[in-house]
Amino acid sequence: MQINWFTVIAQILNFLVLVWLMKRYLYKPILDMIDAREKKIAGQLADAKATKSEAKAEQDEFNKKNRVFDQQKNALMDKAIAEVGVQSQKLLAEAKNNARALQDKLEKAAKDQQADVNHQREKETEKEVFAITKKVLADLADVDFEAQSVHTFIKRINGIKEAEKATFIKALHSASGPILVQSAFDLPEKQQAEIKSAVTKILGAQPSFEFKTAPGLIGGIELTTKGYTLGWSITAYVNSFEKSIGEAGKQIPVTGKKHHAIK
Amino acid sequence: MNMTPDQTVFWSHGFVTINLTLVTTWGIMLFMVIGAKLITRNLRSNNKISRWQCMLEMIVTGINEQINEVGLAKPELYIGFIGTLFLFVVMCNFWIILPWYVPPTGSLSTTTALALCVFLSVPYFGIQKSGIGGYLKTYIQPTFIMLPFNIISELSRTLALAVRLFGNIMSGVMIIGILLSITPLFIPIVMKALGLLTGMVQAYIFSILATVYIAAAVQESVKKDKKIKQQNQTTN
């Protein structure tokens, strides 16, 4: 167990050579590579940090824009709601006005219809009254209705007051045409003469006459000159009767439909 | 029975002797250099690396950390020497798993050579750090009376390094040889495993002691430098 000094020297040299070779082929490449990787990782971390900060900035920007957008959206929504409210109020008012106008139109149409019905009924009533009166007078007093009508008309001519008489004369003088005498029936010559005589007596002059038959004047006679009319018919009586019937008729609705007022 | 591989001589001419120790050492050196060259041939710095690269990185960074933990702030300056020391002893002791293999570390010449390398490396790194004067002054610290004791300490620890490694490895080889002749089955395998463990531990001890010696020399120099700087600052 002795030391071989050549081996010692050789082993020292071997070891030193090995140190040099290992530094060259093992430690240096490995350490350089580890340093490169550390730098690479550090660079990646720096990039990640920069990207993160960039992403954070973008996120903040996005959030800011989002908030602004929300505010604008809310403002627009509020504005739209207000405009819709105004528009709806306007449309509602317009609809109410239209409904009211339609209701008024309906009411007017109903009134017109009522007036037509009343007028028709008045005419029919006049005809009926005329026919009944004519028959009653013929049956009970053996009196001709037409003759009696003429008689009553003449009495009326004779009974006009002075003021009315002046108006009649004035109208007669200003008229260029003849005095128009209309009757519901054909006047015989005798009765035409009696009327002419009564008028002449009042006026003190002989005017010209024109006699016409007007079925609308139910059971009546009417004398017309410019702006002045004098007449008698059973229409006045019928009107009185109609008035009383009309007041009673107001209690009954014109149609079966009930109109609701639109608020 | 040969006690050491030095006794197996292949060629001799006067002082020059080519024995089993040298031949085995060259083989191990060749294996280490070729292995390092092959593995570091395709090093990659990205995240996908080969298993061999990963293994080497672990070894190198592990040695670096050990050096750093002992107290050397810049391990990359010392890893060439200390790392090679560790890996060489590991490689020498590792192949005892092969039959008929005799480790070079079982030769007192080899361990002496390694211990002398450590002995010389301590002043080398110390002088490199703080100059020859600064290093030599560490021998008279804390007082000049300590000079002979420091010199004796240097020599004795070098001797201890050489003999410790040689004794452990040689005794392991001897025990295995003896057991092979007594009980050739099983027991030698267990003893080889134990010898492998002992070899690894001895490699660690040898290299860590070398690191401690170097660190002590370097840190003494550094402390001295700091003290001188502080004194200069106070006088200025």
Side-chain angles (χ1 to χ4, degrees):
Chain A
M1 200 185 300
Q2 58 185 354
I3 296 172
N4 184 331
W5 288 105
F6 173 76
T7 307
V8 171
I9 295 165
Q11 287 293 64
I12 290 172
L13 292 173
N14 284 338
F15 182 72
L16 294 177
V17 169
L18 185 64
V19 167
W20 181 77
L21 289 172
M22 292 301 279
K23 277 176 84 172
R24 180 182 173 87
Y25 292 115
L26 183 67
Y27 303 121
K28 191 172 184 303
I30 292 277
L31 290 174
D32 287 350
M33 193 275 309
I34 289 172
D35 286 344
R37 184 186 295 144
E38 282 179 354
K39 282 180 185 172
K40 193 175 178 182
I41 290 169
Q44 286 174 343
L45 286 173
D47 288 346
K49 195 177 177 184
T51 308
K52 195 177 175 183
S53 61
E54 194 178 337
K56 179 80 171 56
E58 285 184 2
Q59 189 185 14
D60 291 344
E61 181 69 20
F62 174 75
N63 288 336
K64 189 181 171 186
K65 282 183 179 175
N66 219 10
R67 278 196 297 274
V68 172
F69 175 74
D70 282 344
Q71 288 172 355
Q72 288 177 346
K73 187 184 77 177
N74 290 334
L76 284 172
M77 281 296 290
D78 292 344
K79 190 181 173 186
I81 288 169
E83 284 179 356
V84 166
V86 171
Q87 191 68 18
S88 68
Q89 291 293 328
K90 190 178 171 185
L91 288 172
L92 192 61
E94 194 176 340
K96 277 182 181 178
N97 289 336
N98 288 340
R100 200 170 291 120
L102 190 62
Q103 191 178 10
D104 293 344
K105 196 175 174 184
L106 281 172
E107 285 175 357
K108 187 173 178 299
K111 281 180 182 174
D112 290 347
Q113 189 182 5
Q114 181 69 39
D116 288 345
V117 168
N118 289 345
H119 184 69
Q120 189 65 30
R121 193 161 55 194
E122 183 184 337
K123 291 294 176 191
E124 287 174 359
T125 306
E126 283 177 359
K127 280 182 182 175
E128 285 298 319
V129 169
F130 177 66
I132 291 165
T133 308
K134 193 174 176 181
K135 194 167 187 311
V136 167
L137 287 173
D139 290 348
L140 295 179
D142 196 16
V143 175
D144 183 27
F145 179 80
E146 286 82 2
Q148 195 60 36
S149 296
V150 171
H151 180 66
T152 306
F153 181 64
I154 290 169
K155 272 177 71 180
R156 186 149 194 181
I157 292 169
N158 292 332
I160 61 174
K161 294 175 181 173
E162 285 302 320
E164 191 179 357
K165 189 176 170 182
T167 306
F168 182 28
I169 291 166
K170 189 179 175 184
L172 187 63
H173 286 161
S174 63
S176 58
I179 295 171
L180 179 62
V181 179
Q182 296 180 100
S183 60
F185 44 84
D186 293 336
L187 289 171
E189 290 291 331
K190 182 186 174 188
Q191 288 169 345
Q192 286 184 6
E194 285 174 1
I195 290 168
K196 286 179 180 175
S197 170
V199 172
T200 305
K201 187 179 175 184
I202 288 169
L203 298 175
Q206 180 65 48
S208 60
F209 289 90
E210 181 184 1
F211 290 90
K212 274 189 177 176
T213 303
L217 293 170
I218 298 166
I221 303 167
E222 189 176 79
L223 183 149
T224 306
T225 185
K226 188 178 182 181
Y228 181 81
T229 301
L230 179 67
W232 175 89
S233 71
I234 63 170
T235 303
Y237 304 102
V238 172
N239 284 343
S240 175
F241 175 66
E242 188 69 25
K243 189 178 177 184
S244 62
I245 288 174
E247 285 175 357
K250 284 179 182 174
Q251 307 295 326
I252 303 164
V254 178
T255 63
K257 286 187 179 177
K258 189 176 182 180
H259 297 285
H260 296 281
I262 297 170
K263 294 177 180 178
Chain B
M1 182 180 177
N2 292 331
M3 292 292 285
T4 72
D6 288 357
Q7 293 171 328
T8 308
V9 177
F10 296 109
W11 183 79
S12 176
H13 182 74
F15 181 66
V16 179
T17 308
I18 305 301
N19 52 29
L20 183 61
T21 304
L22 290 176
V23 172
T24 312
T25 301
W26 290 336
I28 288 168
M29 285 171 65
L30 201 64
F31 174 80
M32 288 173 70
V33 172
I34 291 173
K37 180 69 180 167
L38 286 175
I39 293 171
T40 57
R41 188 178 50 181
N42 294 318
L43 287 178
R44 285 179 291 186
S45 62
N46 55 15
N47 294 330
K48 289 184 178 179
I49 59 174
S50 66
R51 293 175 183 178
W52 290 107
Q53 183 182 339
C54 184
M55 186 192 75
L56 273 189
E57 282 185 18
M58 285 172 67
I59 290 170
V60 171
T61 52
I63 293 169
N64 254 0
E65 285 172 8
Q66 283 293 322
I67 294 170
N68 196 27
E69 281 178 12
V70 170
L72 292 169
K74 292 182 177 177
E76 62 272 10
L77 296 175
Y78 310 101
I79 192 172
F81 179 77
I82 295 168
T84 307
L85 197 62
F86 174 72
L87 290 178
F88 178 68
V89 178
V90 163
M91 280 292 118
C92 288
N93 297 341
F94 177 75
W95 295 116
I96 62 167
I97 56 172
L98 298 175
W100 315 119
Y101 172 81
V102 182
T105 43
S107 156
L108 187 60
S109 302
T110 305
T111 56
T112 303
L114 294 177
L116 283 173
C117 286
V118 173
F119 176 76
L120 295 173
S121 72
V122 171
Y124 172 76
F125 287 115
I127 292 166
Q128 192 183 46
K129 190 74 181 175
S130 55
I132 188 164
Y135 171 72
L136 289 176
K137 283 181 183 174
T138 58
Y139 283 94
I140 55 171
Q141 296 296 331
T143 63
F144 71 92
I145 300 170
M146 293 299 291
L147 178 64
F149 300 104
N150 283 330
I151 294 169
I152 291 168
S153 168
E154 289 284 328
L155 294 173
S156 63
R157 73 189 187 191
T158 305
L159 182 66
L161 269 181
V163 174
R164 184 189 300 112
L165 181 60
F166 165 71
N168 277 284
I169 303 304
M170 186 271 289
S171 62
V173 174
M174 289 290 289
I175 289 169
I176 291 165
I178 292 166
L179 284 174
L180 272 173
S181 59
I182 299 170
T183 52
L185 293 175
F186 303 117
I187 297 296
I189 297 172
V190 176
M191 290 311 294
K192 280 213 172 205
L194 192 62
L196 188 65
L197 177 66
T198 309
M200 297 302 113
V201 171
Q202 286 306 315
Y204 178 76
I205 289 170
F206 197 96
S207 53
I208 207 78
L209 282 173
T211 314
V212 168
Y213 299 154
I214 294 167
V218 170
Q219 284 172 349
E220 282 295 325
S221 304
V222 171
K223 280 179 189 173
K224 194 168 175 300
D225 287 347
K226 283 181 180 174
K227 201 173 177 180
I228 290 166
K229 281 179 184 175
Q230 285 175 350
Q231 283 176 349
N232 289 335
Q233 283 174 353
T234 50
T235 52
N236 292 334

